[in-house]
Amino acid sequence: MIRALIAASLFAVSSSLAAFSNDATHTVVDFEDLRDWEKDDHEKALEAFLVTCPDLKDPDWSALCALAQQKPDAKGFFELFFRPVLIEDGAAALFTGYFEPELSGSLTPSARYRYPLYRQPPESVNSGLWYPRRVIETSNLMRGRGLEIAWVDDPVELFFLQIQGSGRVKLPSGRMIRVGYQGANGHEYRSIGVELVRRGVFEAHQVSAQVIKNWVRRNPIAGQELLWSNPSYVFFRRIDSVPADKGPLGAMNRSVTTGRTIAADPAYVPLGAPVWIEKEGANPIRRLMIAQDTGSAIKGAQRADIFMGTGDQAGRQAGRLRDPGRMVTLLPIQRAYAMETEPGL
């Protein structure tokens, strides 16, 4: 049974490789080279893998998913059917964190709730560059069209909700509604943290999400101009199909898992692939996670955003996370060796 499944996977290996970036090196390493591999809870990683692996269509991945659904010993499963591949593009590794914000809002506008979350206007879909953030927020372009999903009470939190791409809105009744990414206006994301450093307001090591929020609130006029310096604007959709105890939907349209999901660059890391994380810094992380999400700021072979959970505490943890390290992608055996960079290339 196992041999038949693995043999069937070989047909798609060559054709699927072309989908990934060819400006990187791929080095197959041993599991013994993964720091603290033996200490991880591999069952938790397998649970996260099973959330999205049924959506992987390439035969090599679908064969492994079929095996995973038989609930094998998790550590043995990963060691037997995968090989760790260090994918590098010359840039240093960088780990950051993201979370699901929880905002206070209402389904109707009021003096308190006056900042709208918008659905995507139909004319902006597939239009390339559409209007920038400043125009969307200051003109009548969006108003009176029934595009509002809800209104929230804090424009700074709304800005960061757009960066995260999904979140929850707590209504006055206590009921929650969940929103997720629907589309964007096509403008390139510009980091307002980088802009504050460029202006000399902060040193790079001082910048975090909370520091930025506090500065914008203390400087409302300059703060608004700072927010407008990022022309990118995200539109949302209601997500009523995801239970409150599950994580938000990631790029694979499945719930992400706290501490086990990363956002990665699909030009280098296949969505759905297990990735071994070696994050350094104040609170090192050695853990097998799953690449189940993407992000506009997540670019490069050694770039990952770790999902930290929902709410303010998760937000504080995510905001402090900006560390070096290493990430190693686990690929099906045949795919791993097919992608390995020849010495000297």
Side-chain angles (χ1 to χ4, degrees), residues 3 58 61 69 128 150 219 230-231 272 304 319 334 336:
R3 289 183 179 178
D58 284 349
W61 287 107
Q69 289 169 330
N219 303 274
N230 172 29
Q334 298 296 332

Side-chain angles (χ1 to χ4, degrees), residues 17 20-21 24-31 33-34 37 61 78 81-89 268-270 273-278 288 301-302 326-341:
L17 298 182
F20 301 104
S21 179
T25 60
H26 300 75
T27 305
V28 177
V29 300
D30 295 326
F31 282 97
D33 296 326
L34 307 183
W37 168 260
W61 287 107
F78 290 117
F81 296 110
F82 292 85
R83 288 295 177 269
V85 180
L86 178 62
I87 305 173
E88 298 176 290
D89 61 357
Y268 299 92
V269 180
V275 181
W276 178 252
I277 299 299
E278 296 176 2
L288 186 59
Q302 286 287 308
R326 182 178 76 154
M327 53 189 281
V328 182
T329 304
L330 270 59
L331 295 176
I333 294 173
Q334 298 296 332
R335 179 178 293 217
Y337 286 117
M339 294 185 73
E340 187 169 25
T341 304

